[in-house]
Amino acid sequence: MSKNEMYDLIIVGGGPAGLSAGIYAMRAALKTVLIESGVPGGQVAITKEVENYPGFIEIGGFDLCEKFLLHAKHYELEILEKEAVATDPGIEYHSVRLADGTLLKAHAVILAAGGTARKLNIPGENEHFGSGVSYCATCDGFFFRDKIVAVVGGGDTALEDALYLSKITRKVYLIHRREAFRGSRILQQRVFAEPRIEIIYNTVVTAINGDDSGVRAISLKDTQSGAQRDIDTEGVFIFVGFTPNNTLVPAGIKTNGTGYVITDEKCETDIPGIFAVGDLRQKYANQIVLAAADGCTAALAAAHYVETRKDAQTCQAAG
Ligand code: NAP
């Protein structure tokens, strides 16, 4: 890479969406660079087990990411371990600025920066992540078959995932800080009708307690009376919101009320040649297989976009 090198495609983010985009872009013969500041794999790399990616009945999150990475490297995808700090849309080309001041130029950019589950920031949360604390019911619910779990939150995700967990586990405590759920009416009705869900309103979790083998209990505080108590549980599913990593999304690109990028069916944003994929993009569900599918869609669409642009530039040059 040199400072003035022009790429066909820059991919920002090395999770399943970004790496899948990289594989398809290389196979489409696009001159591509992928920028990833952390460990390739994104959120999946820190997921203990994955049991819903087709082809793998069970695979460690890190191992699955390793396979994505090896697959991308097989096609000689250039991967830059650098931090991207801005995307600058342009008429002639788009550019991505790196923290070290380098400016990379390309015809197309795929933003695949993912998102981050909001945390409670309470004692025990980080310590027991992956061994009792989870931010994904479909990823980890199965490990709590016939056990008692707690779900924290009162939005659609908490309600939906409490219902999902109630089909797998023995009992679900649904703990919400207020006495009315934010989630949709229909989900509320289903939650109220599910005997395996016990709702605890007006309550916050103040600590997650356990030992080396996992979570054993959580400490609760009633927000009205101030009363404190512990309840036994082996799993704590925290759904208090998810924040898309949208700091690299340039102004002028439409996002929804919660910061997810709105795209068309090609994953293209309002700015031609700039695509958003994976957990950054507004869609029905956030799953690894969908992130990979987004990467595929965006790379194929980017290939078409780049080809069209190059043809137009050739025609222009020919007068
Ligand atoms: P959300 O709607 O932002 O809800 C977050 C929940 O967590 C709220 O109930 C909030 O309580 C609670 N909370 C936030 N910070 C907390 C804290 N520090 N301690 C305790 N509780 C805390 O997030 P979401 O449920 O992930 O949904 C995000 C978006 O995706 C929403 O627009 C939702 O409609 C959408 N979604 C839709 C579906 C669907 O349609 N099937 C499924 C999932 C998500 P308060 O209510 O008191 O603020």
Side-chain angles (χ1 to χ4, degrees):
M1 179 208 59
S2 81
K3 272 195 172 180
N4 291 316
E5 201 162 356
M6 176 81 184
Y7 289 92
D8 289 326
L9 174 66
I10 298 170
I11 300 167
V12 184
L19 288 170
S20 164
I23 291 165
Y24 275 83
M26 294 307 289
R27 287 173 59 85
L30 295 183
K31 184 173 161 57
T32 304
V33 62
L34 183 148
I35 304 160
E36 167 63 60
S37 60
V39 181
Q43 290 218 111
V44 186
I46 52 168
T47 302
K48 201 174 168 198
E49 296 288 346
V50 176
E51 295 185 341
N52 54 10
Y53 194 81
F56 298 96
I57 292 167
E58 184 180 317
I59 185 166
F62 186 82
D63 296 339
L64 183 60
C65 294
E66 192 73 359
K67 287 187 186 295
F68 291 155
L69 186 61
L70 283 174
H71 197 163
K73 283 185 171 170
H74 174 76
Y75 293 111
E76 297 179 356
L77 174 67
E78 181 182 347
I79 298 177
L80 270 187
E81 287 175 28
K82 303 251 181 179
E83 190 191 354
V85 292
T87 314
D88 301 323
I91 307 285
E92 298 263 310
Y93 54 82
H94 302 307
S95 39
V96 173
R97 202 187 317 245
L98 305 184
D100 65 8
T102 307
L103 199 67
L104 301 177
K105 302 169 190 168
H107 292 295
V109 175
I110 295 179
L111 298 172
T116 313
R118 243 180 254 145
K119 292 187 168 188
L120 287 173
N121 296 316
I122 54 172
E125 186 176 12
N126 287 339
E127 292 85 330
H128 295 296
F129 172 68
S131 61
V133 173
S134 171
Y135 302 88
C136 177
T138 45
C139 314
D140 298 328
F142 189 74
F143 302 112
F144 298 91
R145 185 168 287 272
D146 298 326
K147 294 183 175 169
I148 297 173
V149 298
V151 166
V152 188
D156 279 328
T157 307
L159 300 185
E160 216 168 56
D161 288 16
L163 286 163
Y164 176 83
L165 289 165
S166 72
K167 309 289 180 250
I168 303 169
T169 61
R170 181 149 51 99
K171 181 187 178 103
V172 177
Y173 289 109
L174 176 54
I175 300 157
H176 182 36
R177 64 182 177 184
R178 293 187 294 124
E179 61 184 316
F181 289 120
R182 176 185 295 272
S184 63
R185 197 78 212 143
I186 186 151
L187 285 175
Q188 291 190 35
Q189 281 163 358
R190 287 186 199 150
V191 163
F192 297 149
E194 174 50 62
R196 267 187 281 199
I197 298 178
E198 179 180 332
I199 301 168
I200 305 178
Y201 290 116
N202 298 316
T203 296
V204 289
V205 182
T206 54
I208 297 168
N209 315 308
D211 50 35
D212 287 348
S213 57
V215 169
R216 295 279 162 253
I218 51 177
S219 302
L220 305 181
K221 184 178 174 190
D222 187 304
T223 55
Q224 296 189 325
S225 67
Q228 300 190 28
R229 65 177 167 131
D230 282 7
I231 56 170
D232 291 343
T233 178
E234 288 180 58
V236 188
F237 288 82
I238 298 167
F239 304 117
V240 295
F242 184 85
T243 315
N245 297 330
N246 60 10
T247 50
L248 295 174
V249 176
I253 285 181
K254 217 182 291 156
T255 56
N256 70 10
T258 44
Y260 291 88
V261 176
I262 296 169
T263 71
D264 63 12
E265 62 174 6
K266 293 183 293 180
C267 296
E268 194 166 20
T269 68
D270 292 332
I271 301 179
I274 300 188
F275 300 81
V277 295
D279 286 356
L280 182 58
R281 182 174 88 85
Q282 177 184 271
K283 58 182 179 312
Y284 179 70
N286 289 349
Q287 293 291 300
I288 306 168
V289 67
L290 294 181
D294 274 6
C296 158
T297 304
L300 294 177
H304 184 256
Y305 175 85
V306 171
E307 194 184 337
T308 310
R309 273 193 73 84
K310 283 183 173 173
D311 284 350
Q313 283 170 356
T314 309
C315 287
Q316 249 177 0

